[in-house]
Amino acid sequence: MQLHIAVLLAGFTGILGELITLNEGLLVWYRLMIAAVTLWILMWLTGKLQRLSFKEALKISGIGFLSALHWVFFYASIKYGNVSIGLVCLSAVGFFSAILEPLLNRVPIKKTELILGICSVFGIYLIFHFDAQYKLGIILGFISSFFAALFPILLKFSMKRVNMQTVLTWQMTGGFITLSLVMPFYLRLFPVTTLLPSLGDFLWLLVLAWLCSVVAFQFSMSALRKLSAFTVSLSYNLEPLYGILMAFIILKENKSLNNGFYLGFTIISLTLILHAVILKRTNRKAIEEPGS
């Protein structure tokens, strides 16, 4: 139950991206600020924060900037397209992960994962081909999925030495600090009438930072203690599905999407199901092998 609540909250971030009227840069900046301050207070009260060397803190902070870029492009995809487009483009994460992870870890590329990733990209292409009005949103979502694939791979190296709570705290803090340095240039390119959120925006930002970031992370961690990492990662494949269903129910986006979207989404969904089946068989085989 905790795991599916975490996945549901992750899917709800797309809805919040539409509800919050701030542009994507300020939206992410406020989210990171609130989440970072909250995590520092929580980690100080619970005593779960590890001491890090300056080099390790700098490394995780740098990765935090990559995660911030993922969120900026993700919310830009929603702003220039819609929630469904932003979420469906996240399926390209599998394609980028199939290429980036072997390259960074210096291991052979898994052909099955690459083929499944290409199928997801083909599904996105079908949406792009049939509905050109979402062209910019799809391009931005595609860039977002690249960063979404890159930063978790880099974080894995740090998580071998540092606990998850400390990694997340420094990731959010690093993302906030580095994005703060970039914001003056960003706002010069994309000027806004006001830097301060309205009361409604601020309340949604609290939901985004507290429920969809801090609480969702705590639920995931709690689930990970009782369930396998395989089950947790597999369950997160439901995030786009949950988010798109909520977009249909809350924002009525199904009325503005044509058949090209549904064709592409069907191919992507079938790819995710096939990937889940392959992972399940691989996991079962690894358990049954002697000495595993």
Side-chain angles (χ1 to χ4, degrees), residues 31-41 169 172-174 176 209 214:
R31 176 189 187 177
L32 289 171
M33 178 181 68
I34 297 169
V37 171
T38 303
L39 283 167
W40 276 103
I41 294 171
T169 302
M172 293 290 182
T173 303
F176 170 67
V214 178

Side-chain angles (χ1 to χ4, degrees), residues 214-226:
V214 178
V215 173
F217 167 74
Q218 295 296 330
F219 278 170
S220 293
M221 287 296 297
S222 179
L224 196 55
R225 294 189 189 102
K226 301 170 186 176

Side-chain angles (χ1 to χ4, degrees), residues 51-64 154-155 157-158 161-162 170:
R51 286 185 176 272
L52 299 182
S53 65
F54 176 76
K55 183 179 179 181
E56 190 70 49
L58 191 64
K59 185 187 299 181
I60 299 175
S61 296
I63 298 171
L154 297 176
L155 276 181
F157 298 108
S158 294
R161 304 180 294 273
V162 186
W170 277 103

Side-chain angles (χ1 to χ4, degrees), residues 123-132 134-136 138-139:
I124 295 172
Y125 165 76
L126 286 177
I127 297 172
F128 176 86
H129 178 72
F130 284 103
D131 208 336
Y134 296 121
K135 176 180 178 180
L136 181 57
I138 290 173
I139 292 171

Side-chain angles (χ1 to χ4, degrees), residues 110-227:
K110 295 180 180 179
K111 293 180 181 179
T112 303
E113 292 184 0
L114 182 60
I115 292 170
L116 290 173
I118 292 172
C119 288
S120 294
V121 172
F122 178 67
I124 295 172
Y125 165 76
L126 286 177
I127 297 172
F128 176 86
H129 178 72
F130 284 103
D131 208 336
Q133 66 171 312
Y134 296 121
K135 176 180 178 180
L136 181 57
I138 290 173
I139 292 171
L140 292 169
F142 208 65
I143 297 171
S144 166
S145 67
F146 169 80
F147 287 112
L150 179 60
F151 82 82
I153 297 171
L154 297 176
L155 276 181
K156 284 183 181 179
F157 298 108
S158 294
M159 285 190 289
K160 293 176 182 177
R161 304 180 294 273
V162 186
N163 66 35
M164 288 284 290
Q165 292 89 344
T166 304
V167 168
L168 184 68
T169 302
W170 277 103
Q171 177 192 343
M172 293 290 182
T173 303
F176 170 67
I177 293 172
T178 51
L179 195 59
S180 297
L181 297 174
V182 173
M183 282 305 290
F185 305 99
Y186 179 86
L187 292 174
R188 196 176 187 85
L189 291 172
F190 305 99
V192 294
T193 54
T194 178
L195 297 175
L196 298 175
S198 65
L199 177 60
D201 281 346
F202 182 70
L203 292 175
W204 285 127
L205 283 166
L206 291 179
V207 173
L208 180 61
W210 286 348
L211 288 181
C212 300
S213 298
V214 178
V215 173
F217 167 74
Q218 295 296 330
F219 278 170
S220 293
M221 287 296 297
S222 179
L224 196 55
R225 294 189 189 102
K226 301 170 186 176
L227 303 171

